[in-house]
Amino acid sequence: MGFSTKKKTKEKKEEPEKFAEMEVKNVRDTDYGVFFSLTINGVDINGCKVGETKNEEYFVSLPSRKGKDEKYYSIVYYKFSEAETEWILNQVKEKLGVK
């Protein structure tokens, strides 16, 4: 088995696969923000965080590390749909007891 070096024709971009199983766990509110773990299809992702924009909108931030150049680099990356982000944020709020 080897990789083909032939150029492929452009294929239609398909919608990303939806997760069959997603769970928010270990939610904790700290002085540095709200952190939690996210399990997707049995894979645990620790170090997730709820971020806030200048417009006071919330988003899900996956784990990252600061490089020698002082920039942050993703350890895990996935582009959540709006519905997935909303579901995760609602789960975090529920586990914190926030309405």
Side-chain angles (χ1 to χ4, degrees):
M1 182 173 135
F3 292 102
S4 174
T5 57
K6 293 181 183 178
K7 289 186 178 182
K8 291 184 178 182
T9 59
K10 287 189 176 184
E11 297 175 15
K12 279 188 172 181
K13 289 187 178 183
E14 294 181 21
E15 288 293 317
E17 181 180 326
K18 297 297 176 197
F19 295 121
E21 185 180 321
M22 199 181 305
E23 181 182 5
V24 173
K25 303 187 290 189
N26 304 325
V27 179
R28 56 213 176 279
D29 192 358
T30 71
D31 293 338
Y32 303 104
V34 176
F35 290 88
F36 61 96
S37 297
L38 185 61
T39 302
I40 301 171
N41 288 342
V43 176
D44 289 331
I45 303 171
N46 299 309
C48 301
K49 183 178 178 181
V50 174
E52 187 176 0
T53 66
K54 292 178 184 177
N55 299 333
E56 298 181 5
E57 295 175 4
Y58 296 103
F59 62 92
V60 175
S61 175
L62 294 174
S64 62
R65 297 225 173 154
K66 188 186 278 190
K68 291 180 181 180
D69 59 0
E70 300 296 315
K71 292 181 183 178
Y72 284 90
Y73 295 92
S74 297
I75 295 170
V76 177
Y77 178 78
Y78 178 79
K79 185 173 181 176
F80 293 107
S81 69
E82 286 183 36
E84 290 168 326
T85 300
E86 186 176 335
W87 183 86
I88 293 168
L89 293 173
N90 285 335
Q91 291 295 305
V92 169
K93 286 179 187 177
E94 182 179 306
K95 299 209 185 262
L96 288 174
V98 176
K99 293 184 179 187

